[in-house]
Amino acid sequence: GENVEQHPSTLSVQEGDSAVIKCTYSDSASNYFPWYKQELGKRPQLIIDIRSNVGEKKDQRIAVTLNKTAKHFSLHITETQPEDSAVYFCAAKVEGNKLVFGAGTILRVKS
Amino acid sequence: GAGVSQSPSNKVTEKGKDVELRCDPISGHTALYWYRQSLGQGLEFLIYFQGNSAPDKSGLPSDRFSAERTGGSVSTLTIQRTQQEDSAVYLCASSLQDDYGYTFGSGTRLTVV
């Protein structure tokens, strides 16, 4: 079955710096890759997603890139702010239309 | 409704008791998913409903776990003879189509003592 690996498990950056989180997947048939942000004690919320027919997508300070050949995708956050501190999960859609999630990255933005 | 509703928000139960967790998806969403999140861990898939199709139960960890979805809307996740390792946050999500990102509920925090 699909396996999604996410790195790093924790990431500390200074406010204003960029943050990059990387994920790899194993199932070449996967075609949809969302990213979720989960603040402490709250529900995961979709922040950006990308489909396999594009290589990059941007939404203000957030961008996602996809390399289908290498089977990896990344989340890029620029000009980080303290409110970006949270746990971020990547995911890949597999056959049967369920999402397999990475283990999560704890992002800490230091002010 | 405006979002995915889950109840109860918290549940403390004694080991060996049965529990029922409820999920009310966003109106019109045809797909409904249950995930489990243990403390500090990722999201573990449990079960997936899509319209009138047979559910994908491949993530249920044991036969003590079952779920149903009545009338294509509300879903109930039942855990029989609860064990301490069942303690976790149980998250429900729904989506308009299979291709779209999920909207999660706030979850039910289950504690088995």
Side-chain angles (χ1 to χ4, degrees):
Chain A
E2 174 73 285
N3 183 45
V4 177
E5 294 192 357
Q6 184 171 346
H7 301 280
S9 56
T10 60
L11 178 60
S12 291
V13 299
Q14 202 65 36
E15 182 178 0
D17 288 350
S18 296
V20 181
I21 302 170
K22 300 181 179 181
C23 288
T24 61
Y25 62 98
S26 59
D27 188 347
S28 56
S30 293
N31 61 4
Y32 174 69
F33 308 91
W35 285 87
Y36 286 83
K37 174 184 180 181
Q38 186 176 31
E39 297 178 4
L40 188 63
K42 297 190 176 181
R43 73 188 77 188
Q45 292 197 306
L46 178 68
I47 56 171
I48 196 168
D49 55 15
I50 192 167
R51 300 174 198 276
S52 58
N53 58 346
V54 297
E56 184 177 6
K57 182 176 178 180
K58 288 184 179 180
D59 182 3
Q60 301 182 7
R61 296 186 297 108
I62 295 173
V64 57
T65 58
L66 171 65
N67 183 326
K68 284 185 62 181
T69 302
K71 290 190 281 190
H72 65 70
F73 56 113
S74 301
L75 177 71
H76 304 253
I77 306 174
T78 59
E79 300 173 23
T80 52
Q81 302 168 3
E83 52 264 38
D84 294 329
S85 296
V87 181
Y88 291 80
F89 293 97
C90 64
K93 194 183 89 165
V94 301
E95 183 180 356
N97 300 306
K98 59 181 179 273
L99 292 177
V100 175
F101 286 84
T105 296
I106 300 171
L107 174 64
R108 297 190 184 95
V109 180
K110 297 175 287 187
S111 56
Chain B
V4 178
S5 296
Q6 290 189 247
S7 61
S9 55
N10 282 285
K11 175 72 176 178
V12 180
T13 189
E14 291 182 351
K15 178 181 174 181
K17 299 284 189 182
D18 298 351
V19 295
E20 286 189 352
L21 313 179
R22 176 188 167 102
C23 173
D24 196 347
I26 293 173
S27 178
H29 279 196
T30 58
L32 186 147
Y33 315 82
W34 284 97
Y35 282 77
R36 178 168 70 175
Q37 186 173 32
S38 301
L39 186 63
Q41 300 297 311
L43 290 86
E44 175 190 6
F45 168 77
L46 296 177
I47 188 169
Y48 157 57
F49 296 90
Q50 169 56 47
N52 296 320
S53 302
D56 177 350
K57 305 179 182 179
S58 60
L60 295 178
S62 77
D63 59 8
R64 296 186 296 106
F65 288 72
S66 63
E68 62 177 20
R69 188 180 185 192
T70 54
S73 181
V74 172
S75 176
T76 302
L77 177 70
T78 301
I79 308 173
Q80 296 178 309
R81 304 181 302 282
T82 51
Q83 304 294 315
Q84 288 186 330
E85 59 263 29
D86 299 335
S87 297
V89 175
Y90 289 81
L91 289 162
C92 175
S94 68
S95 66
L96 183 59
Q97 298 177 22
D98 293 337
D99 245 7
Y100 287 75
Y102 301 170
T103 299
F104 280 93
S106 295
T108 293
R109 181 175 299 279
L110 175 66
T111 304
V112 182
V113 298

